């Protein structure tokens, strides 16, 4: 039996039509939808009484790897490759058609460089992209600036990931591979792209930040520090002096685990934040929920047609999972997770949840946590405005 593999959450880029990006406030989402053999952008509105989708078709179909990101005002940023250049525009519905506002282009002349959209920024007024080169990464402001795309920062090393640490969209965490090791660093976009360390569990470990919640400071981390050569899923608290913990309940045999959402609004109580997990194993794909205060993962079937790995928590503890089926092309299954009981459907429908018993999915019994090294989150070195020490 092998231990579970850790998979990073979506970066917000839409690749191959499978991506689904959601604004930081959960109001809008965007994806590439398929009509026959043609891909087209689609915007979802999620903050109304019922979700609904608006197609944003252009004059011709989009390429499968086209990037999309919803903005806070309902427009959708689109990232296309045109003649070797990365071209950005804002799409919006206009009568029966689609309006398009060109924003400019970014060129990446260095061979081997690719450019991807970063996750939607807090506030929804700006959008960012990461140019990943063999020796360095560059952070670009591609929407919301005054004069088109603007290069904001350059980070030595090969960069990946992308997690926002604050509600102001100032502090961006990136995973940087340098000298054969991967560590997470913080890029301060208001201080000229100043780079400072965030995760340094051990000198020889590979440490990555998967998710962060600015309200509680909860961090979801991937590291091979407790088991050299094998990645483990752990959690820590932004600004805390306590070590990162790697719960045994998050080690599942023969499956991959990817955290995709953290419950917001739990100020100063990170151990009570609910976390949504995408679980992939031989029996298929399902949903897991877990809280740091609990030593078990709760399992439940995924909604029929779930856009796997996409979803968000409300402050009240409802996990919202978007799904699309032939009968319901735009749907959201709401699942409530109490602190004492298993998640239960809030609005069960015929399309929402497959008739599979929770007992058919693997359940991990509580086990004591694994001892870990001290001082894994050296946040005293990072320019963070608010520290959480609980």
């Amino acid at each position: 039996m092998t231990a579970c593999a850790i998979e990073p959450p979506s970066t917000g880029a839409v690749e191959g039509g499978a991506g689904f990006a959601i604004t930081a406030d959960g109001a809008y989402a965007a994806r590439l939808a398929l009509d026959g053999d043609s891909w087209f952008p689609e915007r979802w509105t999620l903050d109304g009484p019922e979700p609904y989708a608006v197609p944003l078709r252009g004059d011709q179909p989009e390429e499968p790897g086209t990037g999309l990101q919803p903005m806070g005002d309902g427009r959708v940023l689109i990232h296309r490759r045109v003649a070797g250049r990365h071209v950005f525009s804002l799409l919006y519905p206009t009568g029966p058609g689609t309006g398009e506002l060109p924003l400019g282009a970014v060129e990446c002349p260095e061979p081997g460089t690719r450019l991807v959209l970063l996750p939607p920024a807090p506030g929804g007024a700006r959008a960012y992209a990461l140019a990943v080169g063999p020796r360095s990464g560059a952070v670009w402001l591609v929407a919301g600036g005054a004069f088109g795309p603007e290069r904001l920062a350059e980070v030595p090393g090969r960069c990946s990931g992308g997690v926002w640490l604050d509600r102001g969209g100032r502090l961006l965490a990136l995973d940087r591979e340098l000298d054969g090791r991967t560590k997470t660093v913080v890029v301060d976009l208001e201080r000229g792209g100043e780079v400072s360390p965030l995760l340094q569990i051990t000198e020889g470990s590979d440490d990555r930040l998967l998710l962060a919640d600015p309200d509680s400071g909860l961090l979801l981390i991937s590291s091979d520090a407790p088991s050299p050569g094998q990645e483990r899923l752990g959690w820590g608290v932004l600004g805390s002096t306590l070590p990162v913990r790697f719960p045994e309940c998050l080690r599942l045999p023969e499956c991959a685990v990817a955290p995709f959402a953290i419950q917001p609004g739990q100020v100063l109580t990170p151990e009570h934040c609910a976390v949504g997990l995408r679980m992939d194993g031989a029996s298929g794909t399902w949903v897991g929920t877990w809280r740091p205060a609990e030593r078990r993962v709760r399992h439940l079937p995924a909604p029929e047609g779930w856009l796997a790995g996409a979803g968000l928590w409300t402050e009240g503890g409802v996990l919202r999972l978007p799904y699309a089926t032939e009968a319901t092309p735009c749907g959201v299954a709401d699942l409530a997770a109490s602190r004492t009981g298993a998640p239960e459907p809030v609005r069960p429908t015929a399309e929402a949840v497959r008739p599979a018993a929770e007992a058919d999915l693997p359940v991990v019994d509580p086990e004591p946590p694994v001892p870990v090294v001290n001082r894994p989150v050296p946040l005293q070195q990072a320019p963070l405005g608010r520290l959480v020490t609980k």
Side-chain angles (χ1 to χ4, degrees), residues 3 29 43 108 117 122 136 144 151 165 186 195 210 212 227 264 290 300 363:
R43 187 199 70 193
C108 299
L117 292 175
S136 66
R151 186 186 179 114
L165 298 178
V186 177
V195 178
L210 304 181
S227 305
W290 166 81
L300 63 153
V363 177

Side-chain angles (χ1 to χ4, degrees), residues 71-95:
M71 306 296 291
D73 59 5
R75 294 183 293 181
V76 172
L77 176 72
I78 187 167
H79 166 211
R80 301 182 178 105
R81 291 290 303 274
V82 179
R85 303 165 74 230
H86 300 269
V87 179
F88 297 90
S89 298
L90 287 173
L91 306 179
Y92 55 93
T94 171

Side-chain angles (χ1 to χ4, degrees), residues 16 52 59 66 77 141-142 144 156 161 184 202 221 236 245 316 322 330 340 389:
Y52 65 92
D59 296 332
T66 300
L77 176 72
L141 174 66
V142 295
T184 303
T202 68
I221 293 161
R245 278 140 285 188
C330 175
T340 57
T389 57

Side-chain angles (χ1 to χ4, degrees), residues 189-212:
L189 299 181
E190 291 188 4
R191 297 183 65 176
E194 180 180 280
V195 178
S196 53
L198 181 68
L199 288 178
Q200 293 183 164
I201 298 183
T202 68
E203 185 176 345
S205 61
D206 290 319
D207 312 315
R208 296 176 175 86
L209 180 63
L210 304 181
L211 287 178

